[in-house]
Amino acid sequence: MSRHTAPDQTLLKMPSLRAVRSFVAAARYQNFTRAAEALCVTQAAISRQVRELESFLKTPLFKRVGSAVELTAAGAIFFDAAQLSFINIAQAADRIRDDFGNVARQSLTLCCSPAFSALWMSHRLPKFFSTNPNIDLNLVTTQNFLAMEPGVSPDIFITKLSRVMEGYISIPLFCDVIYPVCSPSYLEKHPEIATLNGLRHDAVLLNLSPYGRAQVAEHVDWGVWMAIHQLDIARNAKNSSHFFNANDYNMLIQMTLNHQGVALGWDHLVMPLIAEGKLVRPVTEQVVLEETRHYLCYRENRADDDEIQRFRDWFTTECGMSAL
């Protein structure tokens, strides 16, 4: 006994996809001839498909304006839905071709701090992509590496934690080198900040607060940095400049670039801006924390994967280390 499948009412209610494609092209170009050229068909074919769709929907979708066409109210509603559906279909087809086609693509999920992403990664990633065109990166930023959101499983961490979690191999990188930075314009207007005492009393100090950084044991702010140089951050003069606190390092650097004060610069983050002449060091003093290392941590169960090895070798080379 044969078994019959009940008709799918949703599919039965669907118009011809060929007709919908012709309609979308005509609506996008507002011209049947240009739509025909885009789809490599005749103008008559576009007109026929649009008429078929209008007949199916029982309403006009276009009104003629000279040699051009404009969408009716019904046409505009249908165009919004049809265009979005076609984009979704095209994107799904691209993903399938990439994942299952002849050219294998590889992907990595990378996790680092927002400051590292904006000030270190963004300048260097074009070089990585140019030499690794078949590796896609998914970048996730966080200040709390110990509490990732559900469903986020990074392949690589760049962090100050030597053991971010179980199942990762850690490679020690550079240590922290910290010194004051400001814009050349700010230093020119405030030459008195070229000494530590001048910085303490006369500069607008842009300070990185510890909020959200509880997991980092050694937080260095202006108070700590000055104390290492045997100075108290307290300002006694009545006309001392103000003190600004924020836990967003990217904001502090942007304020520094906008000539609003002096921030503490972590060498690996601000070095490119100094090299470009956008920031300068008003004093030569610095703090070097030999024991505070940054680490590249990658999944142990993917240690032999080609994309992991290529990113690891590229990253360590960019950090001035020999490729492993």
Side-chain angles (χ1 to χ4, degrees):
M1 181 177 179
S2 62
R3 185 176 179 180
H4 296 284
T5 302
D8 189 311
Q9 294 301 316
T10 299
L11 293 179
L12 290 176
K13 292 178 181 178
M14 286 284 292
S16 160
L17 287 182
R18 180 180 296 179
V20 176
R21 187 177 69 159
S22 296
F23 161 76
V24 168
R28 184 174 295 167
Y29 292 107
Q30 297 185 333
N31 185 286
F32 282 14
T33 301
R34 291 185 62 194
E37 293 171 351
L39 297 181
C40 299
V41 298
T42 64
Q43 190 267 352
I46 295 291
S47 297
R48 184 171 61 254
Q49 294 293 340
V50 170
R51 284 198 303 272
E52 177 186 330
L53 183 60
E54 289 177 327
S55 176
F56 181 88
L57 296 175
K58 296 182 172 57
T59 187
L61 299 175
F62 292 105
K63 54 185 177 182
R64 274 63 179 174
V65 182
S67 60
V69 291
E70 290 183 0
L71 288 169
T72 62
I77 294 172
F78 194 74
F79 175 67
D80 287 342
Q83 179 174 236
L84 181 59
S85 297
F86 272 46
I87 290 173
N88 288 336
I89 291 170
Q91 290 177 342
D94 285 341
R95 287 195 299 270
I96 291 171
R97 281 197 298 266
D98 290 342
D99 293 341
F100 302 100
N102 294 327
V103 179
R105 296 195 66 81
Q106 302 162 315
S107 64
L108 290 173
T109 298
L110 171 67
C111 183
C112 63
S113 71
F116 195 89
S117 168
L119 298 173
W120 198 98
M121 294 292 296
S122 63
H123 300 292
R124 293 170 171 85
L125 279 179
K127 186 187 298 184
F128 175 79
F129 289 134
S130 67
T131 55
N132 298 279
N134 65 323
I135 297 181
D136 296 329
L137 284 182
N138 175 33
L139 181 62
V140 179
T141 64
T142 184
Q143 295 287 14
N144 190 350
F145 295 91
L146 300 179
M148 300 299 297
E149 291 185 15
V152 178
S153 301
D155 301 301
I156 296 172
F157 285 93
I158 301 165
T159 173
K160 287 187 179 182
L161 301 175
S162 60
R163 290 184 61 81
V164 65
M165 61 180 64
E166 291 295 326
Y168 284 80
I169 298 172
S170 297
I171 301 173
L173 303 170
F174 44 83
C175 65
D176 274 339
V177 179
I178 309 166
Y179 44 76
V181 291
C182 65
S183 70
S185 174
Y186 190 85
L187 178 58
E188 183 179 355
K189 292 180 180 178
H190 304 278
E192 64 276 8
I193 68 171
T195 67
L196 291 183
N197 270 317
L199 269 178
R200 180 175 61 157
H201 291 296
D202 300 312
V204 174
L205 298 182
L206 308 175
N207 190 55
L208 182 64
S209 76
Y211 182 81
R213 290 175 170 79
Q215 67 190 51
V216 180
E218 52 290 297
H219 174 74
V220 178
D221 59 12
W222 273 112
V224 172
W225 195 91
M226 287 287 188
I228 292 174
H229 289 93
Q230 312 301 315
L231 292 172
D232 188 346
I233 194 64
R235 302 175 179 193
N236 299 320
K238 292 183 179 179
N239 60 348
S240 291
S241 298
H242 64 267
F243 194 81
F244 177 79
N245 275 293
N247 72 328
D248 184 345
Y249 190 66
N250 291 336
M251 177 187 181
L252 296 181
I253 292 300
Q254 190 57 56
M255 291 177 69
T256 307
L257 292 168
N258 290 339
H259 328 297
Q260 296 180 52
V262 184
L264 287 174
W266 273 252
D267 183 69
H268 65 281
L269 299 180
V270 301
M271 183 171 42
L273 296 172
I274 292 175
E276 294 172 10
K278 295 178 179 179
L279 292 179
V280 294
R281 298 176 60 172
V283 296
T284 58
E285 286 83 357
Q286 62 186 24
V287 169
V288 180
L289 302 179
E290 292 287 356
E291 300 304 317
T292 304
R293 293 274 163 179
H294 294 252
Y295 295 86
L296 171 68
C297 308
Y298 58 94
R299 284 184 174 276
E300 189 172 8
N301 61 3
R302 294 196 62 185
D304 296 329
D305 287 4
D306 177 63
E307 57 267 38
I308 291 282
Q309 294 181 6
R310 286 159 67 184
F311 183 88
R312 182 192 64 190
D313 291 346
W314 169 81
F315 187 88
T316 53
T317 299
E318 285 295 309
C319 290
M321 304 167 60
S322 300
L324 303 175

